[in-house]
Amino acid sequence: VDRSPRERAAAAKSWQDACQQLTREIKLRHYSPSTEKTYLHYVRRFQAFTYNTHLDSITTEHARDYLADFAVKGHASASAQNLAFNALLFLFRHVLHREYVIPADTPRAKRPRSVPSVLSQDETAALLRNLTHPFKLMAQLTYACGLRISEVTTLRIKDLDLTRGMLTLRHAKGARDRTVPLPHAIMPQLRDQTNFAKKKWEEDCRQGSDGVFMPDGYEAKFGKQAKSVAWYWLFPAPHLTTVEQTGTRKRYHLHSSVFRRHLRAAVNAVG
């Protein structure tokens, strides 16, 4: 259907506002940044599928057609379909405030049942031997403490209690804290890494940096803590980041993609 430039602009504005509202609602619920990124991705795909139809005219029939097309023509995996379904569910319920009922006959891929691939001790040891510092220590922590990659990269100095040998994960998946024991075998390396991070913090203080990035909602209430050594990253990024909006210079943690890249290289090296 042909639409006037004014109608097209209004439709685009409705989607823009919806995406901004979706981001706010996700942050209010303390969902992870990866969830926010994923939901926005599928909402924008849904927007393209509807040819930028104004959100006032969007119905669950549009969602049903999109999910069916995504499953059949897009050959989407079961996990991708579930993510798209959940993204649209969040959009309808928390942004559009409408009922979201998708007919049971909408095509859905079945999640395959597969046996997990588990590395042997020898394979794990070979993998660790092919990792350099600090990625070897990050992998050891991930393996020994059962951490997600996003958890090990975002560790702060205050999360480690080297005296008691305990690690506290703050606001982990599901916005829950949990405490796990640290392996005794890598305690010397953890002390060395903590000392390295503290020296990096001292260097940042001398350079007059604005501290580290804080979790959502903490900046306004605990903004001064951004410059404290307790909140400093255990695995800091090598360079400061300039925030475009404010011009401040802050330290970020080693990005998860960098850790993943080194893991893949080690996996390839050991076959």
Side-chain angles (χ1 to χ4, degrees):
V1 178
D2 291 334
R3 291 175 290 176
S4 68
R6 179 177 295 180
E7 289 174 329
R8 289 197 296 269
K13 182 67 164 56
S14 72
W15 283 97
Q16 181 181 357
D17 292 344
C19 287
Q20 291 175 351
Q21 180 63 24
L22 183 138
T23 298
R24 286 193 293 269
E25 293 294 335
I26 286 176
K27 290 184 182 297
L28 283 173
R29 289 163 175 79
H30 302 290
Y31 289 3
S32 69
S34 61
T35 299
E36 176 187 338
K37 181 179 179 181
T38 300
Y39 280 15
L40 285 172
H41 168 75
Y42 285 110
V43 166
R44 288 176 178 136
R45 288 189 61 155
F46 181 47
Q47 175 186 358
F49 177 80
T50 62
Y51 297 99
N52 219 25
T53 299
H54 198 291
L55 276 170
D56 288 346
S57 304
I58 290 293
T59 65
T60 51
E61 283 70 26
H62 290 97
R64 176 201 61 199
D65 294 343
Y66 165 69
L67 292 172
D69 182 84
F70 189 42
V72 177
K73 294 183 180 178
H75 303 289
S77 65
S79 59
Q81 286 182 54
N82 287 333
L83 286 172
F85 180 90
N86 291 334
L88 297 191
L89 173 64
F90 194 95
L91 172 70
F92 272 78
R93 284 188 177 176
H94 302 297
V95 178
L96 304 181
H97 303 292
R98 301 177 196 162
E99 285 297 320
Y100 183 74
V101 180
I102 302 299
D105 60 353
T106 302
R108 300 285 296 275
K110 293 183 178 179
R111 185 184 293 274
R113 294 184 179 181
S114 57
V115 177
S117 177
V118 181
L119 298 182
S120 67
Q121 288 187 345
D122 290 341
E123 289 172 329
T124 302
L127 179 65
L128 293 174
R129 283 196 299 269
N130 279 271
L131 285 168
T132 57
H133 185 78
F135 305 105
K136 180 179 180 179
L137 180 58
M138 296 170 74
Q140 288 171 319
L141 270 173
T142 303
Y143 176 70
C145 299
L147 306 185
R148 299 175 177 86
I149 287 182
S150 61
E151 292 172 340
V152 73
T153 55
T154 56
L155 288 175
R156 301 179 190 261
I157 291 177
K158 67 180 182 62
D159 298 333
L160 271 71
D161 185 342
L162 298 179
T163 303
R164 294 193 304 128
M166 300 299 291
L167 171 65
T168 301
L169 295 160
R170 308 288 182 180
H171 299 291
K173 193 173 181 67
R176 298 172 182 170
D177 295 352
R178 73 178 191 273
T179 303
V180 295
L182 289 167
H184 294 289
I186 61 171
M187 290 298 284
Q189 295 93 315
L190 286 173
R191 290 190 178 94
D192 291 343
Q193 183 62 29
T194 301
N195 291 332
F196 167 80
K198 289 180 178 178
K199 290 179 181 178
K200 199 74 173 174
W201 169 77
E202 293 172 354
E203 180 183 321
D204 284 2
C205 291
R206 288 194 298 269
Q207 292 180 358
S209 78
D210 296 285
V212 295
F213 288 92
M214 299 288 280
D216 289 334
Y218 277 65
E219 196 68 44
K221 191 173 183 180
F222 305 107
K224 293 182 180 179
Q225 294 296 320
K227 294 185 179 182
S228 70
V229 66
W231 281 87
Y232 202 77
W233 306 111
L234 181 62
F235 299 105
H239 306 291
L240 290 169
T241 299
T242 301
V243 183
E244 293 183 3
Q245 295 86 341
T246 61
T248 55
R249 298 171 70 241
K250 292 189 173 186
R251 181 75 62 177
Y252 200 58
H253 57 78
L254 272 176
H255 201 275
S256 60
S257 63
V258 180
F259 184 28
R260 290 178 189 275
R261 186 165 66 246
H262 280 79
L263 279 177
R264 284 195 297 269
V267 168
N268 292 334
V270 298

